[in-house]
Amino acid sequence: MKILYAVQGTGNGHITRAIEIIPHLQARGEVDILVSGIQSDISLPFPVKYKLNGLSFIFGKKGGINFWKTFLKMKSGKLYKDIKSLKVKDYDLVISDFEPVSVWAALKAKTLCVGLSNQVATLHPLAPRPKKDDLMGRLVLQNYAPTLVNYGFHFKRLGDTIFTPIIRQEVRIITPTNEGHYTVYLPSYDDVEIINRLKKIPDIQWQVFSKHSKKAYTLFNVQVSPIDSQKFLDSIASSAGVLTNAGFGTTSEALFLKKKLLVVPMKKQYEQHCNAAMLKEMGVPVLKKLNKKSLGDIIDWVDSKAIVPVDYPDNAKEIVDLIIDTHGPATATKKRKVKK
């Protein structure tokens, strides 16, 4: 069986999840890997057959997406050519982790592409939604990579097709400690903005990992480092808590390691506001934004000892087997053809 596994390269969570999923796919068939996007700080330790520009969102410095840089980086002509040239019919099964080229190529070829991501979970009928609707953000989420059959991941299991997060093995084997510092990852905020807020809590050591700095430095009680996946993981594992955006990967790993968690969803990122709604329902505090008014909430969180308990079993093989047994060529030859 030939399998195409397509992974979104914007954000590290998709890549870390793929590292766990790919070996189970390889145990069931011949796997070609497609990665599109330009914002991940982690590389796959597997050969990638298709490395595409895709459709990436560029992090800004004021709490959200830099839409101007996103527009400048967008190569719509190349995107269309990639969609047109990708031969999805050469594969018995196409699986997409919120990767648009594979999804739109499958729609064009009238063949099935199975969605497997956190994003599809946020659209599940049982998933919590933010109180304030974002029509444009919801439309983008629904149409960016619109798969017709979906399996997903959320912070809690929902029904038969939405599973708890896949936690990578290097995280599972960690024995967490508490050395007193707090780990910070807020890629859509400028370093200066973060430092100006956190220096106001001088008795805490903050370890900030930055997408905007190429060298390490320390100001006041704030240590800033460029992204390094191993140093970042070591920092979280030995931290007292994690302050981050409301993405899926880092938040899941922080919960798994039983760390206090405080999240700031990115502006105009509907997916992150959906994640934040679920986290808030579970008891994780959520900040609207990082500003002067949020200082008191950060202090309250630092003073708190509350940790949200979770149970995240190793479920990668279960999910892969379910998808292949349900949609693979031996059992779903007729089902794989879909109407336009």
Side-chain angles (χ1 to χ4, degrees):
M1 176 171 56
K2 290 194 67 176
I3 301 169
L4 176 65
Y5 181 49
V7 184
Q8 169 65 253
T10 298
N12 299 328
H14 303 276
I15 301 297
T16 56
R17 179 162 57 237
I19 291 171
E20 299 302 315
I21 289 175
I22 288 170
H24 297 294
L25 289 173
Q26 291 174 331
R28 297 293 303 268
E30 179 186 344
V31 181
D32 285 344
I33 301 169
L34 182 156
V35 177
S36 76
I38 55 175
Q39 285 279 283
S40 177
D41 302 297
I42 300 173
S43 299
L44 281 174
F46 304 98
V48 175
K49 182 168 184 177
Y50 308 99
K51 184 68 179 77
L52 309 177
N53 190 77
L55 184 57
S56 292
F57 295 102
I58 308 300
F59 294 120
K61 296 184 178 183
K62 297 181 179 180
I65 296 295
N66 186 319
F67 289 101
W68 177 242
K69 284 189 175 180
T70 296
F71 175 76
L72 291 177
K73 290 285 186 180
M74 188 181 300
K75 299 179 180 179
S76 55
K78 180 69 164 58
L79 178 65
Y80 176 76
K81 288 180 181 178
D82 288 340
I83 291 170
K84 189 177 179 180
S85 63
L86 184 62
K87 298 180 180 179
V88 291
K89 285 194 173 183
D90 288 349
Y91 298 92
D92 299 299
L93 182 62
V94 180
I95 302 173
S96 172
D97 187 337
F98 203 58
E99 193 291 309
V101 175
S102 57
V103 175
W104 286 100
L107 288 171
K108 183 177 181 297
K110 300 181 184 179
T111 191
L112 180 66
C113 179
V114 177
L116 180 62
S117 68
N118 163 244
Q119 284 78 9
V120 301
T122 60
L123 298 172
H124 190 277
L126 296 177
R129 303 287 177 86
K131 290 183 179 180
K132 184 178 180 181
D133 190 27
D134 177 359
L135 177 60
M136 182 59 67
R138 180 158 46 85
L139 288 174
V140 170
L141 189 62
Q142 290 171 338
N143 294 286
Y144 179 86
T147 41
L148 303 179
V149 175
N150 293 307
Y151 297 81
F153 310 95
H154 220 320
F155 298 109
K156 294 192 298 186
R157 184 155 185 170
L158 303 173
D160 296 327
T161 59
I162 305 300
F163 301 85
T164 52
I166 289 180
I167 304 296
R168 47 185 166 150
Q169 293 303 316
E170 60 184 311
V171 174
R172 288 188 176 277
I173 64 175
I174 289 173
T175 301
T177 59
N178 184 349
E179 297 180 3
H181 67 267
Y182 284 77
T183 303
V184 181
Y185 179 57
L186 294 169
S188 62
Y189 281 94
D190 181 73
D191 296 349
V192 174
E193 179 72 13
I194 295 173
I195 293 168
N196 284 340
R197 303 302 161 217
L198 299 183
K199 73 180 184 181
K200 300 291 181 62
I201 313 175
D203 55 334
I204 296 297
Q205 184 65 37
W206 302 94
Q207 295 185 3
V208 176
F209 287 83
S210 170
K211 266 190 172 289
H212 309 293
S213 177
K214 295 183 178 180
K215 62 180 182 179
Y217 62 94
T218 300
L219 284 176
F220 307 101
N221 57 322
V222 183
Q223 175 186 325
V224 179
S225 301
I227 301 296
D228 179 290
S229 57
Q230 188 58 55
K231 290 180 180 178
F232 181 57
L233 182 55
D234 291 343
S235 177
I236 290 178
S238 58
S239 72
V242 178
L243 168 58
T244 186
N245 61 26
F248 195 65
T250 297
T251 47
S252 299
E253 293 180 353
L255 289 170
F256 177 81
L257 292 171
K258 296 179 171 56
K259 300 297 180 179
K260 286 194 302 182
L261 181 61
L262 177 62
V263 299
V264 189
M266 289 174 61
K267 288 188 263 184
K268 303 299 182 181
Q269 277 283 81
Y270 185 70
E271 169 213 342
Q272 290 212 3
H273 287 272
C274 290
N275 286 343
M278 173 68 91
L279 290 169
K280 188 173 183 178
E281 186 177 278
M282 294 167 62
V284 174
V286 177
L287 296 179
K288 289 184 178 180
K289 59 180 69 174
L290 187 71
N291 58 15
K292 292 180 180 179
K293 294 181 179 179
S294 64
L295 183 61
D297 292 324
I298 298 174
I299 292 173
D300 289 343
W301 171 67
V302 168
D303 291 339
S304 170
K305 297 186 183 301
I307 293 174
V308 175
V310 297
D311 179 19
Y312 291 161
D314 190 350
N315 55 8
K317 184 178 186 302
E318 172 195 354
I319 296 166
V320 167
D321 287 345
L322 174 63
I323 292 173
I324 291 177
D325 292 342
T326 305
H327 304 286
T331 58
T333 302
K334 294 182 180 180
K335 293 180 182 179
R336 289 177 62 247
K337 295 292 183 180
V338 297
K339 293 182 179 180
K340 188 173 181 180

